[in-house]
Structures are given as C-alpha cells and as structure tokens.
C-alpha cells in the first residue's frame, strides 16, 4: 500500500500518474482526504471520505474547476480542516491519539513554508525524541504571534519587571557606595524612547497613527511588522519622518512595492527585509 504512494509533500502522500497528481492524507479520526490535480487543465477534486483508504462514504467535496493550483490547495486546506475537526467515524477501531503533548527541547525552528503561498513552518523537538512540524497560514501565524505577545505581557512581563527592579536596586546600592562625580550629567527625564517589543509597536501605531490590527501582518518571529491596505499605508508614507522618529531606535520603516500594492514594513534595526 505504501509503495503506491511513494512521495510525501507537506504531509500529503503523493502518487503521480502522467500529468495527474494524486494526494492523500489519512487522519487520526479515520477520515481520509484525497486531492486530485490535473496539470495543465486547471481541474481538480478534493474529497473527504470515511474509512482509512478513502473508499467509504463521501462527507464533503470541493468544486472541480480552479483558476490555478493555489486555489486548488486553498480548497484542499478548507476540506482538510473541516475533516480534522470531525469525531472518529469508526465504531470498531480506536483512533490514534488526536492530541500530542510534551515538553519542547531547545529552540523552536521557524521557517517560511514551501507550498507556494504565504505560510510559516514551525518545528518543535520534544524531550521524548519526537519532532513535530506545523504548517500555518499567514493568518494563523499572525494570530499566534499576537497570542504569544499577549501571553508574554500577562505571564512573564511581571517576573521580568521584578528582576529588573532587583538589578536596579543593586546598581543603586553600588552607586551610593561609589564616589562618582555626577557634575555635568545631562538631564534625560524628557527623553522618550521608541517601542521595544512588537506589542509596543502595535500599540504605538494604534494610539498615534490610527493603524489597527486589521491593517497588520507580522513575521512569526516578530522580526518585522507589515502594514497593508489603504488608507493606512498612504497615511504612514505621508507621515514618514514622524513615523521614523516615533519607532526609533529599535525599528525603522521601509516602503516595499508589491504586485498591485505597496506595503510599509517596520523592521528591527540591523535586519533587512527581502522586499527592500
């Protein structure tokens, strides 16, 4: 059975027959999703069926005509997400575990996906030796980035602030014990520092420039924040000098020309954006 599906592409089993590409993904709930693409015609078919081999009752299927292969994969992803959320349909066999839990070892690898449309590829190595790779759309990655930012703010920021206060107290004690001449030290009480974290940057854009989260995309590692759509982009370009001063020194803005539109990309200082 495995010989009939000799390749694997983004977690899908693949078998080729001439210009026909047959894809299959068997799920833990005993549902099988099959996707058939005919190169050169713009035609395909996506089905979710009962039984592990995909020969049972059809649960749902997609249309057959697509403008391109990207639209075909969009339909395949929608069918797959629907099928993955169904309960087990096999009354005689216990399904494989639907949840995997474990402690992450080391760093999480975050790379761009390879499917041909915007996505993030996250790889987790667990302490039990398993490696888990997740493929996420740009919207899912953006939601995850926001969720982690909120989690960081509510869970870990208070602990960091306590650590910083302890360090400040230690520095103050050392300063009091020293005989440093403070004459000529400039008054920095009026100095305003720009945003540090991605969350700080999102807050500044909303409060000062009226740019909301609906206008934003973020790299999964928060190395860049991208403003898309009008009138947000046009407004930031017109106020370019003000924006540059407001986000410095941690961030700097560039304008990226994309097919049919323009983006304002806010990059962390020292990093480059491939669209520059």
């Amino acid at each position: 059975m495995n010989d009939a599906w000799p390749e694997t592409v983004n977690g899908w089993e693949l078998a080729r027959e001439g210009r026909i590409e047959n894809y299959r993904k068997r799920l833990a709930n005993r549902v099988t999703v099959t996707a058939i693409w005919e190169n050169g015609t713009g035609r395909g078919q996506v089905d979710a069926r009962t039984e592990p081999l995909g020969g049972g009752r059809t649960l749902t299927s997609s249309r057959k005509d697509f403008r391109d292969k990207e639209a075909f994969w969009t339909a395949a992803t929608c069918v797959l997400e629907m099928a993955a959320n169904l309960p087990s349909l096999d009354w005689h066999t216990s399904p494989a575990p639907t949840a995997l839990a474990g402690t992450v070892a080391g760093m999480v690898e975050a790379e761009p996906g390879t499917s041909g449309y915007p996505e993030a590829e996250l790889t987790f190595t667990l302490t039990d030796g398993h490696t888990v790779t997740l493929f996420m759309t740009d919207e899912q990655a953006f939601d995850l980035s926001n969720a982690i930012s909120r989690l960081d703010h509510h869970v870990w920021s208070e602990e960091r602030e306590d650590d910083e206060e302890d360090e400040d107290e230690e520095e103050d004690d050392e300063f009091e014990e020293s005989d440093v001449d403070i004459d000529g030290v400039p008054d920095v009480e009026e100095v305003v520092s720009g945003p540090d974290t991605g969350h700080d940057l999102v807050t500044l854009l909303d409060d000062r420039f009226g740019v909301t989260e609906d206008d934003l995309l973020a790299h999964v590692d928060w190395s860049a924040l991208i403003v898309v759509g009008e009138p947000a982009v046009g407004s930031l370009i017109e106020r370019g000098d003000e924006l540059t001063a407001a986000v410095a020194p941690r961030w700097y803005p560039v304008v990226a020309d994309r097919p049919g539109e323009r983006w304002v990309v806010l990059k962390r200082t020292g990093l480059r954006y491939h669209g520059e």
Side-chain angles (χ1 to χ4, degrees):
M1 180 175 64
N2 291 332
D3 292 340
W5 301 85
E7 299 180 57
T8 301
V9 177
N10 288 339
W12 292 77
E13 297 174 280
L14 168 61
R16 305 176 190 269
E17 299 177 7
R19 64 180 184 180
I20 306 297
E21 298 177 1
N22 297 282
Y23 296 89
R24 179 178 71 179
K25 187 180 283 285
R26 290 173 290 180
L27 308 181
N29 59 4
R30 318 300 291 181
V31 177
T32 296
V33 179
T34 58
I36 302 172
W37 174 254
E38 185 176 350
N39 282 302
T41 66
R43 292 181 61 82
Q45 178 72 42
V46 184
D47 296 292
R49 297 174 179 269
T50 58
E51 300 182 5
L53 297 181
R57 177 169 54 91
T58 299
L59 302 174
T60 187
S61 61
S62 72
R63 63 184 186 275
K64 296 183 178 181
D65 295 311
F66 302 91
R67 65 178 181 275
D68 52 33
K69 197 170 185 179
E70 181 178 345
F72 165 77
W73 277 116
T74 299
T77 300
C78 291
V79 172
L80 178 62
E81 289 183 350
M82 182 282 300
N85 282 300
L86 292 174
S88 176
L89 301 179
D90 190 334
W91 294 95
H92 307 290
T93 306
S94 298
T98 57
L100 177 63
T103 301
V104 176
M107 299 296 291
V108 177
E109 297 180 17
E111 300 290 343
T114 58
S115 63
Y117 52 86
E119 68 174 7
E121 181 178 319
L122 306 183
T123 301
F124 302 81
T125 299
L126 306 183
T127 53
D128 63 3
H130 284 93
T131 297
V132 181
T133 299
L134 307 178
F135 300 92
M136 307 177 66
T137 66
D138 55 344
E139 182 177 352
Q140 290 171 327
F142 179 66
D143 291 342
L144 175 63
S145 297
N146 284 336
I148 291 177
S149 179
R150 290 192 296 270
L151 186 64
D152 175 80
H153 178 72
H154 293 294
V155 176
W156 296 298
S157 61
E158 183 175 346
E159 181 178 345
R160 282 200 302 271
E161 290 172 359
D162 291 340
D163 292 340
E164 291 172 358
E165 289 177 1
D166 293 340
E167 291 177 0
D168 291 341
E169 290 176 359
E170 292 176 1
E171 292 176 358
D172 290 342
D173 292 340
E174 294 175 359
F175 184 79
E176 289 174 0
E177 294 173 358
S178 67
D179 295 326
V180 177
D181 183 5
I182 61 174
D183 291 340
V185 176
D187 182 6
V188 295
E189 291 182 357
E190 298 300 324
V191 174
V192 178
S193 177
D196 183 15
T197 67
H199 175 77
D200 295 336
L201 182 59
V202 171
T203 301
L204 180 142
L205 290 174
D206 189 3
D207 294 344
R208 186 162 175 178
F209 295 93
V211 176
T212 67
E213 291 186 5
D214 294 336
D215 304 308
L216 300 177
L217 299 174
H219 283 200
V220 71
D221 60 354
W222 281 97
S223 61
L225 190 68
I226 304 172
V227 183
V228 299
E230 296 293 346
V233 170
S235 174
L236 291 183
I237 292 176
E238 290 178 1
R239 302 169 64 182
D241 291 342
E242 181 184 354
L243 175 64
T244 300
V247 301
R250 298 288 188 183
W251 304 81
Y252 71 98
V254 297
V255 177
D257 291 315
R258 309 296 297 176
E261 62 178 341
R262 306 183 83 186
W263 292 352
V264 172
V265 183
L266 295 132
K267 288 291 297 177
R268 280 199 173 276
T269 304
L271 300 178
R272 290 186 60 82
Y273 173 67
H274 72 273
E276 293 182 46

